Amino acid sequence: MQNRPVWSETFDRAADSYDSPVLRFFDINAAALARAVPLPSGAVILDVATGTGKVAVAAAEAGGLRARVVGIDVSEQMLTRAQKRASGLPVEFRQMDARALEFPSQTFDAVLCGHAISFFRPHLLSCVKQMNRVLKSGGWIGFSTFDEHAF
């Protein structure tokens, strides 16, 4: 991946401790985010900045048996952990930057992003435009954040 964001190395180093019980709120919020967005049966879902795959797995479970989820992240180490978490589920992971989504326009029924939107600054607008571009007409974008001043 060209022009890998500088923070990707930070998340590579943090990957081993990211699923600590101390950070259990990520699990709770991932499930809540997946339930908050209407996911039709067989939905195709993008999880942006998937980290260790908590939102991707929750979305796969919420979307039913025919759902397909793609999780992207800049951190190779996070994606390694995500693949282990999603074993047996219809989820695939790709190393990718949210600033340049490598998908055709109108690919996804829903785009989710759990607790990562605040990391996109100063490129927030371009990231959201990319998410909107890959979203099907009538689809949903869902965010969660721990930063009340993210926008």
Side-chain angles (χ1 to χ4, degrees), residues 36-82:
V37 174
L39 299 174
S41 177
V44 181
I45 305 156
L46 176 62
D47 178 22
V48 176
T50 194
T52 61
K54 293 179 181 191
V55 171
V57 166
E61 292 169 346
L65 295 176
R66 294 183 11 232
R68 183 175 147 255
V69 180
V70 178
I72 66 153
D73 204 285
V74 295
S75 168
E76 186 176 341
Q77 296 303 315
M78 289 287 193
L79 292 172
T80 297
R81 295 188 65 85

mmCIF file of all heavy atoms in Angstrom, residues 36-82:
data_model
loop_
_atom_site.group_PDB
_atom_site.id
_atom_site.type_symbol
_atom_site.label_atom_id
_atom_site.label_comp_id
_atom_site.label_asym_id
_atom_site.label_seq_id
_atom_site.Cartn_x
_atom_site.Cartn_y
_atom_site.Cartn_z
ATOM 1 N N ALA A 36 -27.690 -0.785 14.764
ATOM 2 C CA ALA A 36 -28.276 0.539 14.518
ATOM 3 C C ALA A 36 -28.531 0.811 13.036
ATOM 4 O O ALA A 36 -29.391 1.616 12.699
ATOM 5 C CB ALA A 36 -27.363 1.628 15.094
ATOM 6 N N VAL A 37 -27.797 0.161 12.167
ATOM 7 C CA VAL A 37 -27.924 0.397 10.729
ATOM 8 C C VAL A 37 -28.774 -0.729 10.132
ATOM 9 O O VAL A 37 -28.475 -1.904 10.345
ATOM 10 C CB VAL A 37 -26.522 0.421 10.070
ATOM 11 C CG1 VAL A 37 -26.614 0.509 8.570
ATOM 12 C CG2 VAL A 37 -25.718 1.588 10.629
ATOM 13 N N PRO A 38 -29.827 -0.376 9.385
ATOM 14 C CA PRO A 38 -30.654 -1.423 8.761
ATOM 15 C C PRO A 38 -29.832 -2.229 7.751
ATOM 16 O O PRO A 38 -29.302 -1.668 6.794
ATOM 17 C CB PRO A 38 -31.756 -0.643 8.041
ATOM 18 C CG PRO A 38 -31.722 0.735 8.606
ATOM 19 C CD PRO A 38 -30.331 0.959 9.107
ATOM 20 N N LEU A 39 -29.713 -3.516 7.991
ATOM 21 C CA LEU A 39 -28.948 -4.387 7.113
ATOM 22 C C LEU A 39 -29.895 -5.400 6.476
ATOM 23 O O LEU A 39 -30.376 -6.310 7.143
ATOM 24 C CB LEU A 39 -27.858 -5.124 7.893
ATOM 25 C CG LEU A 39 -26.808 -4.249 8.578
ATOM 26 C CD1 LEU A 39 -25.872 -5.099 9.425
ATOM 27 C CD2 LEU A 39 -26.030 -3.450 7.548
ATOM 28 N N PRO A 40 -30.167 -5.248 5.190
ATOM 29 C CA PRO A 40 -31.049 -6.217 4.535
ATOM 30 C C PRO A 40 -30.395 -7.592 4.480
ATOM 31 O O PRO A 40 -29.166 -7.715 4.517
ATOM 32 C CB PRO A 40 -31.231 -5.638 3.128
ATOM 33 C CG PRO A 40 -30.050 -4.776 2.905
ATOM 34 C CD PRO A 40 -29.648 -4.243 4.255
ATOM 35 N N SER A 41 -31.199 -8.636 4.395
ATOM 36 C CA SER A 41 -30.668 -9.980 4.251
ATOM 37 C C SER A 41 -29.755 -10.023 3.028
ATOM 38 O O SER A 41 -30.099 -9.515 1.968
ATOM 39 C CB SER A 41 -31.817 -10.980 4.096
ATOM 40 O OG SER A 41 -31.302 -12.267 3.886
ATOM 41 N N GLY A 42 -28.600 -10.585 3.195
ATOM 42 C CA GLY A 42 -27.659 -10.659 2.093
ATOM 43 C C GLY A 42 -26.919 -9.367 1.827
ATOM 44 O O GLY A 42 -26.333 -9.192 0.759
ATOM 45 N N ALA A 43 -26.914 -8.459 2.773
ATOM 46 C CA ALA A 43 -26.259 -7.158 2.600
ATOM 47 C C ALA A 43 -24.767 -7.316 2.331
ATOM 48 O O ALA A 43 -24.121 -8.249 2.811
ATOM 49 C CB ALA A 43 -26.464 -6.300 3.846
ATOM 50 N N VAL A 44 -24.240 -6.374 1.561
ATOM 51 C CA VAL A 44 -22.804 -6.260 1.342
ATOM 52 C C VAL A 44 -22.356 -5.045 2.153
ATOM 53 O O VAL A 44 -22.845 -3.933 1.942
ATOM 54 C CB VAL A 44 -22.459 -6.087 -0.150
ATOM 55 C CG1 VAL A 44 -20.948 -6.008 -0.339
ATOM 56 C CG2 VAL A 44 -23.046 -7.228 -0.969
ATOM 57 N N ILE A 45 -21.461 -5.267 3.112
ATOM 58 C CA ILE A 45 -21.137 -4.272 4.131
ATOM 59 C C ILE A 45 -19.638 -3.995 4.126
ATOM 60 O O ILE A 45 -18.827 -4.925 4.067
ATOM 61 C CB ILE A 45 -21.562 -4.803 5.522
ATOM 62 C CG1 ILE A 45 -23.044 -5.188 5.518
ATOM 63 C CG2 ILE A 45 -21.244 -3.782 6.611
ATOM 64 C CD1 ILE A 45 -23.415 -6.207 6.583
ATOM 65 N N LEU A 46 -19.287 -2.721 4.224
ATOM 66 C CA LEU A 46 -17.888 -2.320 4.352
ATOM 67 C C LEU A 46 -17.655 -1.812 5.769
ATOM 68 O O LEU A 46 -18.398 -0.965 6.255
ATOM 69 C CB LEU A 46 -17.548 -1.207 3.346
ATOM 70 C CG LEU A 46 -16.140 -0.617 3.438
ATOM 71 C CD1 LEU A 46 -15.080 -1.679 3.154
ATOM 72 C CD2 LEU A 46 -15.999 0.562 2.478
ATOM 73 N N ASP A 47 -16.623 -2.338 6.405
ATOM 74 C CA ASP A 47 -16.199 -1.858 7.724
ATOM 75 C C ASP A 47 -14.873 -1.130 7.542
ATOM 76 O O ASP A 47 -13.841 -1.758 7.285
ATOM 77 C CB ASP A 47 -16.057 -3.022 8.697
ATOM 78 C CG ASP A 47 -15.573 -2.596 10.067
ATOM 79 O OD1 ASP A 47 -15.728 -1.391 10.419
ATOM 80 O OD2 ASP A 47 -15.041 -3.453 10.799
ATOM 81 N N VAL A 48 -14.905 0.186 7.644
ATOM 82 C CA VAL A 48 -13.732 1.027 7.438
ATOM 83 C C VAL A 48 -12.958 1.141 8.747
ATOM 84 O O VAL A 48 -13.544 1.399 9.795
ATOM 85 C CB VAL A 48 -14.156 2.428 6.932
ATOM 86 C CG1 VAL A 48 -12.954 3.349 6.808
ATOM 87 C CG2 VAL A 48 -14.878 2.311 5.592
ATOM 88 N N ALA A 49 -11.653 0.960 8.681
ATOM 89 C CA ALA A 49 -10.784 0.965 9.861
ATOM 90 C C ALA A 49 -11.226 -0.140 10.824
ATOM 91 O O ALA A 49 -11.456 0.075 11.998
ATOM 92 C CB ALA A 49 -10.770 2.337 10.536
ATOM 93 N N THR A 50 -11.284 -1.337 10.307
ATOM 94 C CA THR A 50 -11.825 -2.485 11.027
ATOM 95 C C THR A 50 -11.045 -2.852 12.283
ATOM 96 O O THR A 50 -11.580 -3.483 13.181
ATOM 97 C CB THR A 50 -11.951 -3.703 10.086
ATOM 98 O OG1 THR A 50 -12.771 -4.688 10.699
ATOM 99 C CG2 THR A 50 -10.602 -4.288 9.724
ATOM 100 N N GLY A 51 -9.779 -2.467 12.352
ATOM 101 C CA GLY A 51 -8.992 -2.838 13.534
ATOM 102 C C GLY A 51 -8.927 -4.346 13.660
ATOM 103 O O GLY A 51 -8.578 -5.049 12.710
ATOM 104 N N THR A 52 -9.301 -4.875 14.811
ATOM 105 C CA THR A 52 -9.268 -6.322 15.034
ATOM 106 C C THR A 52 -10.567 -7.002 14.605
ATOM 107 O O THR A 52 -10.798 -8.154 14.938
ATOM 108 C CB THR A 52 -8.951 -6.643 16.504
ATOM 109 O OG1 THR A 52 -9.966 -6.092 17.338
ATOM 110 C CG2 THR A 52 -7.581 -6.113 16.905
ATOM 111 N N GLY A 53 -11.402 -6.296 13.866
ATOM 112 C CA GLY A 53 -12.568 -6.906 13.237
ATOM 113 C C GLY A 53 -13.834 -6.980 14.056
ATOM 114 O O GLY A 53 -14.774 -7.680 13.689
ATOM 115 N N LYS A 54 -13.910 -6.252 15.142
ATOM 116 C CA LYS A 54 -15.096 -6.350 16.002
ATOM 117 C C LYS A 54 -16.372 -5.909 15.294
ATOM 118 O O LYS A 54 -17.395 -6.582 15.369
ATOM 119 C CB LYS A 54 -14.876 -5.563 17.285
ATOM 120 C CG LYS A 54 -13.811 -6.188 18.151
ATOM 121 C CD LYS A 54 -13.548 -5.417 19.419
ATOM 122 C CE LYS A 54 -12.453 -6.124 20.198
ATOM 123 N NZ LYS A 54 -12.282 -5.626 21.540
ATOM 124 N N VAL A 55 -16.329 -4.781 14.596
ATOM 125 C CA VAL A 55 -17.524 -4.313 13.878
ATOM 126 C C VAL A 55 -17.817 -5.239 12.694
ATOM 127 O O VAL A 55 -18.970 -5.570 12.431
ATOM 128 C CB VAL A 55 -17.363 -2.850 13.415
ATOM 129 C CG1 VAL A 55 -18.497 -2.427 12.497
ATOM 130 C CG2 VAL A 55 -17.309 -1.920 14.633
ATOM 131 N N ALA A 56 -16.793 -5.683 11.990
ATOM 132 C CA ALA A 56 -16.989 -6.580 10.843
ATOM 133 C C ALA A 56 -17.698 -7.864 11.264
ATOM 134 O O ALA A 56 -18.647 -8.311 10.611
ATOM 135 C CB ALA A 56 -15.653 -6.897 10.182
ATOM 136 N N VAL A 57 -17.267 -8.452 12.362
ATOM 137 C CA VAL A 57 -17.889 -9.683 12.858
ATOM 138 C C VAL A 57 -19.329 -9.406 13.306
ATOM 139 O O VAL A 57 -20.245 -10.161 12.973
ATOM 140 C CB VAL A 57 -17.048 -10.301 13.993
ATOM 141 C CG1 VAL A 57 -17.824 -11.370 14.740
ATOM 142 C CG2 VAL A 57 -15.751 -10.863 13.417
ATOM 143 N N ALA A 58 -19.540 -8.321 14.035
ATOM 144 C CA ALA A 58 -20.900 -7.973 14.467
ATOM 145 C C ALA A 58 -21.805 -7.727 13.265
ATOM 146 O O ALA A 58 -22.973 -8.133 13.261
ATOM 147 C CB ALA A 58 -20.863 -6.743 15.377
ATOM 148 N N ALA A 59 -21.279 -7.086 12.223
ATOM 149 C CA ALA A 59 -22.066 -6.824 11.012
ATOM 150 C C ALA A 59 -22.388 -8.126 10.287
ATOM 151 O O ALA A 59 -23.512 -8.299 9.790
ATOM 152 C CB ALA A 59 -21.314 -5.866 10.099
ATOM 153 N N ALA A 60 -21.433 -9.037 10.214
ATOM 154 C CA ALA A 60 -21.682 -10.333 9.568
ATOM 155 C C ALA A 60 -22.784 -11.090 10.309
ATOM 156 O O ALA A 60 -23.672 -11.678 9.687
ATOM 157 C CB ALA A 60 -20.401 -11.162 9.521
ATOM 158 N N GLU A 61 -22.745 -11.034 11.624
ATOM 159 C CA GLU A 61 -23.773 -11.711 12.417
ATOM 160 C C GLU A 61 -25.124 -11.020 12.279
ATOM 161 O O GLU A 61 -26.155 -11.669 12.152
ATOM 162 C CB GLU A 61 -23.326 -11.785 13.876
ATOM 163 C CG GLU A 61 -22.128 -12.708 14.054
ATOM 164 C CD GLU A 61 -21.478 -12.625 15.422
ATOM 165 O OE1 GLU A 61 -21.762 -11.673 16.190
ATOM 166 O OE2 GLU A 61 -20.657 -13.510 15.731
ATOM 167 N N ALA A 62 -25.138 -9.688 12.248
ATOM 168 C CA ALA A 62 -26.390 -8.937 12.126
ATOM 169 C C ALA A 62 -26.987 -9.038 10.727
ATOM 170 O O ALA A 62 -28.201 -8.977 10.564
ATOM 171 C CB ALA A 62 -26.158 -7.462 12.476
ATOM 172 N N GLY A 63 -26.138 -9.202 9.712
ATOM 173 C CA GLY A 63 -26.606 -9.251 8.327
ATOM 174 C C GLY A 63 -27.142 -10.602 7.893
ATOM 175 O O GLY A 63 -27.638 -10.741 6.786
ATOM 176 N N GLY A 64 -27.049 -11.586 8.742
ATOM 177 C CA GLY A 64 -27.599 -12.899 8.411
ATOM 178 C C GLY A 64 -26.646 -13.748 7.591
ATOM 179 O O GLY A 64 -25.539 -13.346 7.249
ATOM 180 N N LEU A 65 -27.120 -14.938 7.256
ATOM 181 C CA LEU A 65 -26.276 -15.928 6.602
ATOM 182 C C LEU A 65 -25.750 -15.499 5.239
ATOM 183 O O LEU A 65 -24.671 -15.878 4.844
ATOM 184 C CB LEU A 65 -27.047 -17.245 6.453
ATOM 185 C CG LEU A 65 -27.402 -17.939 7.760
ATOM 186 C CD1 LEU A 65 -28.243 -19.175 7.478
ATOM 187 C CD2 LEU A 65 -26.139 -18.312 8.519
ATOM 188 N N ARG A 66 -26.517 -14.717 4.515
ATOM 189 C CA ARG A 66 -26.098 -14.341 3.161
ATOM 190 C C ARG A 66 -25.320 -13.031 3.128
ATOM 191 O O ARG A 66 -24.945 -12.565 2.059
ATOM 192 C CB ARG A 66 -27.315 -14.258 2.256
ATOM 193 C CG ARG A 66 -27.967 -15.620 2.053
ATOM 194 C CD ARG A 66 -29.150 -15.631 1.094
ATOM 195 N NE ARG A 66 -29.335 -14.430 0.331
ATOM 196 C CZ ARG A 66 -30.486 -13.756 0.259
ATOM 197 N NH1 ARG A 66 -31.533 -14.166 0.931
ATOM 198 N NH2 ARG A 66 -30.584 -12.675 -0.489
ATOM 199 N N ALA A 67 -25.089 -12.426 4.260
ATOM 200 C CA ALA A 67 -24.339 -11.164 4.310
ATOM 201 C C ALA A 67 -22.895 -11.401 3.881
ATOM 202 O O ALA A 67 -22.353 -12.490 4.030
ATOM 203 C CB ALA A 67 -24.374 -10.575 5.706
ATOM 204 N N ARG A 68 -22.303 -10.354 3.354
ATOM 205 C CA ARG A 68 -20.879 -10.373 3.008
ATOM 206 C C ARG A 68 -20.272 -9.093 3.553
ATOM 207 O O ARG A 68 -20.785 -8.005 3.302
ATOM 208 C CB ARG A 68 -20.702 -10.444 1.498
ATOM 209 C CG ARG A 68 -19.248 -10.547 1.091
ATOM 210 C CD ARG A 68 -19.103 -10.739 -0.421
ATOM 211 N NE ARG A 68 -17.877 -10.082 -0.827
ATOM 212 C CZ ARG A 68 -17.800 -8.935 -1.469
ATOM 213 N NH1 ARG A 68 -18.885 -8.298 -1.815
ATOM 214 N NH2 ARG A 68 -16.642 -8.410 -1.779
ATOM 215 N N VAL A 69 -19.196 -9.214 4.289
ATOM 216 C CA VAL A 69 -18.549 -8.065 4.911
ATOM 217 C C VAL A 69 -17.107 -7.985 4.436
ATOM 218 O O VAL A 69 -16.408 -9.000 4.366
ATOM 219 C CB VAL A 69 -18.586 -8.163 6.453
ATOM 220 C CG1 VAL A 69 -17.911 -6.966 7.092
ATOM 221 C CG2 VAL A 69 -20.017 -8.305 6.956
ATOM 222 N N VAL A 70 -16.700 -6.766 4.127
ATOM 223 C CA VAL A 70 -15.303 -6.493 3.809
ATOM 224 C C VAL A 70 -14.807 -5.499 4.856
ATOM 225 O O VAL A 70 -15.396 -4.440 5.036
ATOM 226 C CB VAL A 70 -15.142 -5.889 2.396
ATOM 227 C CG1 VAL A 70 -13.677 -5.576 2.118
ATOM 228 C CG2 VAL A 70 -15.715 -6.821 1.338
ATOM 229 N N GLY A 71 -13.749 -5.856 5.548
ATOM 230 C CA GLY A 71 -13.131 -4.957 6.526
ATOM 231 C C GLY A 71 -11.810 -4.460 5.990
ATOM 232 O O GLY A 71 -11.018 -5.253 5.475
ATOM 233 N N ILE A 72 -11.593 -3.160 6.092
ATOM 234 C CA ILE A 72 -10.322 -2.590 5.640
ATOM 235 C C ILE A 72 -9.623 -1.894 6.805
ATOM 236 O O ILE A 72 -10.272 -1.385 7.718
ATOM 237 C CB ILE A 72 -10.499 -1.610 4.461
ATOM 238 C CG1 ILE A 72 -11.288 -0.368 4.895
ATOM 239 C CG2 ILE A 72 -11.157 -2.295 3.283
ATOM 240 C CD1 ILE A 72 -10.966 0.870 4.085
ATOM 241 N N ASP A 73 -8.310 -1.884 6.735
ATOM 242 C CA ASP A 73 -7.515 -1.183 7.740
ATOM 243 C C ASP A 73 -6.130 -0.936 7.157
ATOM 244 O O ASP A 73 -5.696 -1.659 6.263
ATOM 245 C CB ASP A 73 -7.401 -2.023 9.022
ATOM 246 C CG ASP A 73 -7.130 -1.165 10.243
ATOM 247 O OD1 ASP A 73 -5.982 -0.684 10.404
ATOM 248 O OD2 ASP A 73 -8.058 -0.955 11.037
ATOM 249 N N VAL A 74 -5.456 0.073 7.672
ATOM 250 C CA VAL A 74 -4.087 0.359 7.228
ATOM 251 C C VAL A 74 -3.061 -0.500 7.960
ATOM 252 O O VAL A 74 -1.936 -0.643 7.504
ATOM 253 C CB VAL A 74 -3.729 1.859 7.381
ATOM 254 C CG1 VAL A 74 -4.579 2.704 6.458
ATOM 255 C CG2 VAL A 74 -3.832 2.310 8.819
ATOM 256 N N SER A 75 -3.456 -1.089 9.075
ATOM 257 C CA SER A 75 -2.532 -1.850 9.910
ATOM 258 C C SER A 75 -2.565 -3.337 9.570
ATOM 259 O O SER A 75 -3.574 -4.016 9.760
ATOM 260 C CB SER A 75 -2.884 -1.655 11.387
ATOM 261 O OG SER A 75 -2.188 -2.588 12.185
ATOM 262 N N GLU A 76 -1.439 -3.834 9.119
ATOM 263 C CA GLU A 76 -1.318 -5.257 8.799
ATOM 264 C C GLU A 76 -1.526 -6.128 10.046
ATOM 265 O O GLU A 76 -2.169 -7.180 9.982
ATOM 266 C CB GLU A 76 0.052 -5.512 8.188
ATOM 267 C CG GLU A 76 0.247 -6.905 7.679
ATOM 268 C CD GLU A 76 1.596 -7.088 7.000
ATOM 269 O OE1 GLU A 76 2.228 -6.095 6.601
ATOM 270 O OE2 GLU A 76 2.006 -8.250 6.873
ATOM 271 N N GLN A 77 -1.004 -5.690 11.173
ATOM 272 C CA GLN A 77 -1.136 -6.467 12.414
ATOM 273 C C GLN A 77 -2.585 -6.526 12.890
ATOM 274 O O GLN A 77 -3.040 -7.562 13.382
ATOM 275 C CB GLN A 77 -0.226 -5.889 13.499
ATOM 276 C CG GLN A 77 1.248 -5.990 13.168
ATOM 277 C CD GLN A 77 1.687 -7.421 12.910
ATOM 278 O OE1 GLN A 77 1.333 -8.345 13.641
ATOM 279 N NE2 GLN A 77 2.431 -7.622 11.845
ATOM 280 N N MET A 78 -3.301 -5.428 12.767
ATOM 281 C CA MET A 78 -4.721 -5.434 13.134
ATOM 282 C C MET A 78 -5.483 -6.415 12.237
ATOM 283 O O MET A 78 -6.328 -7.179 12.706
ATOM 284 C CB MET A 78 -5.327 -4.035 13.007
ATOM 285 C CG MET A 78 -4.861 -3.066 14.051
ATOM 286 S SD MET A 78 -5.585 -3.439 15.659
ATOM 287 C CE MET A 78 -5.182 -1.944 16.527
ATOM 288 N N LEU A 79 -5.180 -6.408 10.954
ATOM 289 C CA LEU A 79 -5.868 -7.299 10.020
ATOM 290 C C LEU A 79 -5.576 -8.767 10.314
ATOM 291 O O LEU A 79 -6.465 -9.625 10.175
ATOM 292 C CB LEU A 79 -5.489 -6.952 8.585
ATOM 293 C CG LEU A 79 -6.017 -5.607 8.098
ATOM 294 C CD1 LEU A 79 -5.414 -5.262 6.740
ATOM 295 C CD2 LEU A 79 -7.534 -5.594 8.031
ATOM 296 N N THR A 80 -4.378 -9.071 10.762
ATOM 297 C CA THR A 80 -4.043 -10.445 11.145
ATOM 298 C C THR A 80 -4.930 -10.897 12.291
ATOM 299 O O THR A 80 -5.477 -12.006 12.274
ATOM 300 C CB THR A 80 -2.548 -10.544 11.535
ATOM 301 O OG1 THR A 80 -1.762 -10.216 10.394
ATOM 302 C CG2 THR A 80 -2.190 -11.933 12.032
ATOM 303 N N ARG A 81 -5.109 -10.044 13.271
ATOM 304 C CA ARG A 81 -5.982 -10.375 14.410
ATOM 305 C C ARG A 81 -7.446 -10.466 13.963
ATOM 306 O O ARG A 81 -8.193 -11.313 14.435
ATOM 307 C CB ARG A 81 -5.802 -9.362 15.529
ATOM 308 C CG ARG A 81 -4.394 -9.403 16.127
ATOM 309 C CD ARG A 81 -4.269 -8.543 17.348
ATOM 310 N NE ARG A 81 -5.092 -9.021 18.438
ATOM 311 C CZ ARG A 81 -4.744 -9.966 19.321
ATOM 312 N NH1 ARG A 81 -3.578 -10.550 19.220
ATOM 313 N NH2 ARG A 81 -5.567 -10.315 20.295
ATOM 314 N N ALA A 82 -7.852 -9.576 13.062
ATOM 315 C CA ALA A 82 -9.238 -9.581 12.571
ATOM 316 C C ALA A 82 -9.545 -10.897 11.850
ATOM 317 O O ALA A 82 -10.637 -11.465 12.029
ATOM 318 C CB ALA A 82 -9.463 -8.389 11.639
#
